[in-house]
Amino acid sequence: MALVRFGRQAKRSYGFCVKMTAVAILGLCFIFIWSVFSPSSSVTSQRSTFGDIAEPVSASGQINQSQISSVKKEPESEVKAEKKKETSESKANGSVPSTHKSEKVAAANETMKVPKVGHKEENEGSKGSGNDEMENEKEEEAELEEIKEEDLVQGNGDVDQEVEGVEKEEDGSSESRSRGKKRKELGPLFDPKAHHTWRSCSTRSKHNYIPCIDIESVSKRLQSYRHRERSCPKMPVMCLVPLPPEGYGTPVSWPESKIKILKKNVAHPKLVAFIKTQSWVVESGEYLTFPQNQSEIMGGIGHYLESIEEMVPDIEWGKNIRTVLDMGCSDSSFGASLLDKDVFTLTLGLKDDLVDLAQVGLERGFPAIVSPFGTRRLPFPSGVFDAIHCGECRIHWHSNGGKLLVEMNRILRPGGYFILSTKHNSIEGEEAMSTLTASICWNILAHKTDEVSDVGVKIYQKPESNDIYKLRRKKIPPLCKENENPDAAWYVPIKSCLHTIPTAIEQRGTEWPEEWPKRLQTFPDWMNNRAELIADTEHWKAIVDKSYLTGMGIDWSNIRNIMDMKAINGGFAAALSSQKVWVMNVVPVHVPDTLPIIFERGLVGIYHDWCESFGTYPRSYDLLHADHLFSRLKNRCKQPVGIVVEMERVLRPGGWAIIRDKVEILDPLEGLFRSFQWEIRLTFAQGKEGILCVRKTMWRP
């Protein structure tokens, strides 16, 4: 009866509204009845585990690549590790149970006959981390947190564009977060079945190609060859840089390379014309020679250094002054002369279109890097250089609000020295520089114009306390906010502010380091892991003395320029301190920041992201050392093979590479080196750990 009455109302003038209401009610009733009586299998269910689709593992412990689809699946061991991670939030990416990890590392160390020392890494921004007693599990636990917090540690804001398979996690269930992590840590780093063929790079810079600095635009209107700021290709370079047009010869060994190098090894279109205008370098047949005590400075570099010590007696080269940054590479005479005084001078080559003088310095065996210096911070921590030198470096310090000098203030140690030498400076420039240095509270210790060289030398000193900042009438530049990390340097813009000077004893920078060489083995109070640092030093000394120097077949008389691609606390470099070599300690941006520890020990290093090209010329280094670099990268880089191609670029023909890592990494890595036609000189493995020693040849595609 109710339906009949409802139908009669629908026929009236207002029946249209009633009809629409009826349709809505009937639709809702239909949905309710269907959901009640339909079978449960029609509802989509979520998978609680991916264990049933895990890839089969071969006897060698490697994933069968033939069955990996576009969405990679996870081995059963990784699934078990992931389940543990859900209850204990610090398991490393793709890790195996800790008992197996301890056994495999112990076996590897027993084979090498060295003390069992591992790495315990803490992610605390500017503070470094030490080494634990052979617990790689803790190191891998820290690695997971490093990847999450790398933006905070190094200021890298472009991680999402560089990391393959890493997805931003939205708020949701723990199950969805777990599956998001699985995508990031799937699959081996290198495909063991991949076949690689190579071609020569065809670039404007030809044999001197630096991917993140050189411009490869084909536009004729673009005259410059170099970026004003670091700018890398969207995809890693997958070609091999050709040799110089006249070929490449075996570099002159150290120390003879200080006075002569092969001209064809540093071939540059404008170098010959440049040499004809200089007195410090002479073309002599197939060599470039460098007369002793000759430099761009009249009177010689020896006289120049002596005058600096006379102006400021507190400057004692090789004692309280150990780490020096030389801005702008000219003749390398400043660093060469200081090297004889046990001063580690790192030259910052400001790449220009005239000649590649930083490459000449590297060929001679002097430390140098190449980097633009415009709007971004240099890749160093704060307060690490004892002195900074600018000798006719042609930098306009007072331009752009003095930002470049503020950056010098950041990386200079409290109480450190800034040495500026100029010739015929303008009155306007002098006044602007005086105003700027006064605004950042630098004290001018001495000002003298040398009668012989006609060079004006000014020596400034950075404040040692914050009291002087309070006395400024104009607070420009202002003090930085307390939450701003002074050590954040990777792709971080230069800040127009002054970081406060540390005051507490447990802070780095409150005390000047010990004199060299005592400084190398002294660990101040702010390093709260002194015992572990000592153990790490002994660990690497044993490896270097018992294995690297005697058991690899390397002729160390031909080794001068060395790079540690994943330095922790500088233990590897410290172990080589008695050798006639220098080591560039690279601290990757995705690991805890231990670079301040390296500088505090009187060594030198740099921040770098190995997903990108390094700031140096091709054929710069004699030996590359990589300790568990690749296994810690996981799937962070779009093309990990590009890292190996970069190793090929920076290593000299005849140079060596020593890689310590997991066997599942070393096996396909060996195949990559064979595709370069490199010599495999040593392979050794025990358990899941191994070592690979290879040597680069002259082969080019």
Side-chain angles (χ1 to χ4, degrees):
M1 292 298 293
L3 290 175
V4 174
R5 192 180 305 113
F6 190 87
R8 290 174 181 174
Q9 292 177 352
K11 293 180 181 180
R12 298 177 184 176
S13 58
Y14 53 88
F16 177 76
C17 295
V18 177
K19 289 178 182 179
M20 294 303 297
T21 305
V23 171
I25 294 174
L26 290 174
L28 292 173
C29 292
F30 174 77
I31 293 174
F32 174 77
I33 295 172
W34 181 83
S35 62
V36 171
F37 292 99
S38 61
S40 59
S41 59
S42 64
V43 179
T44 303
S45 60
Q46 291 186 337
R47 186 186 298 274
S48 60
T49 177
F50 287 93
D52 55 335
I53 59 171
E55 284 298 318
V57 180
S58 63
S60 62
Q62 295 175 344
I63 297 177
N64 186 356
Q65 289 296 309
S66 63
Q67 299 184 29
I68 294 182
S69 60
S70 59
V71 179
K72 297 179 181 178
K73 303 171 182 65
E74 199 172 38
E76 183 178 354
S77 61
E78 294 183 352
V79 175
K80 293 179 179 178
E82 186 63 34
K83 289 181 179 179
K84 288 188 177 182
K85 187 181 349 180
E86 294 176 2
T87 56
S88 177
E89 61 180 18
S90 57
K91 283 290 181 184
N93 296 345
S95 62
V96 295
S98 59
T99 54
H100 297 300
K101 277 183 286 191
S102 299
E103 290 171 3
K104 70 184 179 185
V105 180
N109 276 334
E110 183 179 357
T111 302
M112 298 298 293
K113 296 182 180 181
V114 296
K116 296 191 291 183
V117 180
H119 303 294
K120 177 183 178 183
E121 301 179 347
E122 300 175 6
N123 193 354
E124 296 184 1
S126 62
K127 291 188 178 180
S129 61
N131 298 328
D132 196 25
E133 294 181 4
M134 208 48 204
E135 293 184 6
N136 266 0
E137 178 183 354
K138 293 186 178 181
E139 181 185 11
E140 292 191 359
E141 291 173 2
E143 292 289 344
L144 181 60
E145 297 302 321
E146 292 151 24
I147 294 175
K148 292 178 181 177
E149 298 181 18
E150 60 187 321
D151 290 0
L152 299 177
V153 177
Q154 303 295 351
N156 186 354
D158 300 324
V159 175
D160 291 334
Q161 298 177 7
E162 299 170 356
V163 183
E164 181 181 34
V166 178
E167 298 182 358
K168 294 183 179 179
E169 296 178 8
E170 304 293 341
D171 293 337
S173 65
S174 60
E175 185 177 19
S176 63
R177 290 195 299 270
S178 175
R179 284 188 290 172
K181 292 178 182 177
K182 290 172 187 280
R183 292 191 188 98
K184 182 174 74 173
E185 57 193 52
L186 296 181
L189 192 65
F190 301 111
D191 184 354
K193 295 185 177 181
H195 176 70
H196 299 279
T197 57
W198 304 103
R199 60 177 178 83
S200 293
C201 298
S202 178
T203 60
R204 297 176 72 198
S205 302
K206 299 178 181 178
H207 56 282
N208 288 331
Y209 179 43
I210 305 179
C212 291
I213 294 178
D214 294 342
I215 298 175
E216 292 308 314
S217 172
V218 296
S219 173
K220 295 182 179 179
R221 294 177 297 176
L222 198 60
Q223 299 298 322
S224 176
Y225 273 77
R226 278 94 197 208
H227 291 288
R228 293 186 178 180
E229 290 293 351
R230 181 178 177 87
S231 180
C232 298
K234 293 182 179 180
M235 295 299 294
V237 174
M238 298 300 289
C239 59
L240 306 187
V241 176
L243 296 177
E246 297 182 10
Y248 185 84
T250 302
V252 178
S253 299
W254 182 268
E256 190 180 4
S257 61
K258 289 197 294 184
I259 58 175
K260 74 173 184 179
I261 60 173
L262 281 172
K263 180 176 61 177
K264 65 182 180 180
N265 286 4
V266 292
H268 189 279
K270 300 180 181 180
L271 183 60
V272 175
F274 175 80
I275 290 173
K276 293 179 180 179
T277 64
Q278 304 297 315
S279 62
W280 57 271
V281 56
V282 178
E283 187 176 1
S284 178
E286 62 177 344
Y287 294 101
L288 296 180
T289 60
F290 307 90
Q292 289 187 343
N293 202 33
Q294 289 293 320
S295 69
E296 288 185 327
I297 301 175
M298 295 292 295
I301 191 65
H303 172 73
Y304 177 71
L305 293 176
E306 289 175 1
S307 65
I308 291 175
E309 287 185 310
E310 291 175 359
M311 293 168 65
V312 182
D314 288 341
I315 295 180
E316 298 181 275
W317 301 118
K319 294 182 180 179
N320 67 332
I321 305 298
R322 165 64 180 174
T323 57
V324 176
L325 180 66
D326 189 15
M327 298 295 298
C329 185
S330 53
D331 57 5
S332 300
S333 61
F334 181 77
S337 298
L338 286 179
L339 186 65
D340 297 333
K341 299 177 180 290
D342 280 337
V343 177
F344 197 126
T345 305
L346 177 63
T347 297
L348 182 69
L350 305 174
K351 197 132 190 293
D352 54 50
D353 289 332
L354 298 177
V355 287
D356 292 339
L357 295 181
Q359 186 181 33
V360 174
L362 284 164
E363 188 72 17
R364 294 177 67 186
F366 301 133
I369 60 169
V370 182
S371 173
F373 184 38
T375 62
R376 295 176 185 156
R377 286 180 171 180
L378 294 175
F380 306 113
S382 63
V384 291
F385 286 103
D386 304 332
I388 298 176
H389 175 254
C390 172
E392 290 289 339
C393 58
R394 301 177 183 88
I395 296 177
H396 301 290
W397 295 109
H398 54 276
S399 62
N400 195 21
K403 279 190 174 183
L404 299 184
L405 198 66
V406 171
E407 173 63 2
M408 295 296 97
N409 183 80
R410 183 186 71 88
I411 63 177
L412 190 61
R413 185 181 298 279
Y417 304 94
F418 183 81
I419 305 169
L420 177 66
S421 64
T422 58
K423 186 183 290 187
H424 308 304
N425 198 7
S426 65
I427 298 177
E428 294 81 3
E430 289 273 358
E431 293 178 350
M433 189 66 179
S434 297
T435 303
L436 179 58
T437 53
S439 69
I440 61 177
C441 301
W442 280 10
N443 181 26
I444 182 166
L445 300 179
H447 180 197
K448 176 183 177 182
T449 299
D450 188 76
E451 296 180 356
V452 177
S453 62
D454 195 29
V455 171
V457 180
K458 289 184 179 180
I459 303 178
Y460 301 89
Q461 187 176 32
K462 179 180 175 178
E464 297 181 82
S465 69
N466 297 309
D467 295 338
I468 195 169
Y469 292 147
K470 301 175 183 178
L471 301 177
R472 295 184 301 166
R473 286 182 293 179
K474 293 183 179 181
K475 303 297 190 289
I476 301 176
L479 296 180
C480 299
K481 297 178 181 178
E482 293 184 1
N483 61 352
E484 291 190 16
N485 184 5
D487 297 326
W490 189 247
Y491 282 97
V492 175
I494 296 176
K495 310 291 185 181
S496 298
C497 63
L498 303 175
H499 288 282
T500 56
I501 294 170
T503 56
I505 191 65
E506 65 273 9
Q507 290 181 293
R508 175 175 61 88
T510 55
E511 295 180 352
W512 196 273
E514 294 283 350
E515 290 187 355
W516 182 264
K518 186 179 179 181
R519 176 174 178 173
L520 183 64
Q521 306 297 341
T522 301
F523 306 103
D525 293 335
W526 63 267
M527 299 182 192
N528 53 12
N529 49 358
R530 185 178 306 178
E532 295 168 352
L533 290 171
I534 294 173
D536 178 64
T537 301
E538 295 174 351
H539 164 72
W540 281 111
K541 181 173 175 53
I543 290 179
V544 169
D545 291 346
K546 297 180 181 180
S547 179
Y548 289 2
L549 294 179
T550 59
M552 297 286 184
I554 299 174
D555 183 1
W556 285 85
S557 64
N558 294 326
I559 304 297
R560 172 62 183 170
N561 304 352
I562 299 177
M563 177 188 290
D564 190 358
M565 300 178 67
K566 183 177 175 287
I568 302 297
N569 298 309
F572 171 70
L576 289 169
S577 60
S578 60
Q579 304 297 314
K580 296 179 179 180
V581 301
W582 67 271
V583 180
M584 173 59 71
N585 295 280
V586 181
V587 174
V589 296
H590 66 280
V591 307
D593 183 8
T594 56
L595 195 50
I597 294 178
I598 292 171
F599 273 95
E600 192 76 12
R601 303 184 69 179
L603 307 172
V604 167
I606 191 172
Y607 294 126
H608 183 62
D609 185 350
W610 282 114
C611 297
E612 300 180 2
S613 178
F614 191 78
T616 192
Y617 293 89
R619 307 170 300 279
S620 292
Y621 287 90
D622 301 303
L623 188 146
L624 303 178
H625 181 255
D627 178 33
H628 289 82
L629 168 69
F630 295 99
S631 58
R632 297 297 181 261
L633 283 172
K634 306 301 178 185
N635 292 322
R636 189 174 178 277
C637 303
K638 291 180 178 179
Q639 287 185 304
V641 175
I643 305 170
V644 189
V645 176
E646 177 64 4
M647 293 175 66
E648 206 282 338
R649 187 185 72 87
V650 303
L651 191 63
R652 291 171 173 170
W656 297 75
I658 302 174
I659 301 97
R660 303 166 64 90
D661 222 306
K662 298 178 180 179
V663 173
E664 63 186 29
I665 297 289
L666 296 181
D667 285 347
L669 200 56
E670 180 179 340
L672 274 169
F673 289 132
R674 290 187 185 277
S675 71
F676 295 147
Q677 306 298 315
W678 287 16
E679 300 174 1
I680 309 299
R681 303 302 294 267
L682 173 69
T683 58
F684 182 83
Q686 182 159 344
K688 295 184 179 181
E689 296 287 319
I691 187 170
L692 176 64
C693 181
V694 294
R695 191 180 189 190
K696 181 178 176 178
T697 64
M698 289 281 188
W699 178 83
R700 294 288 92 181

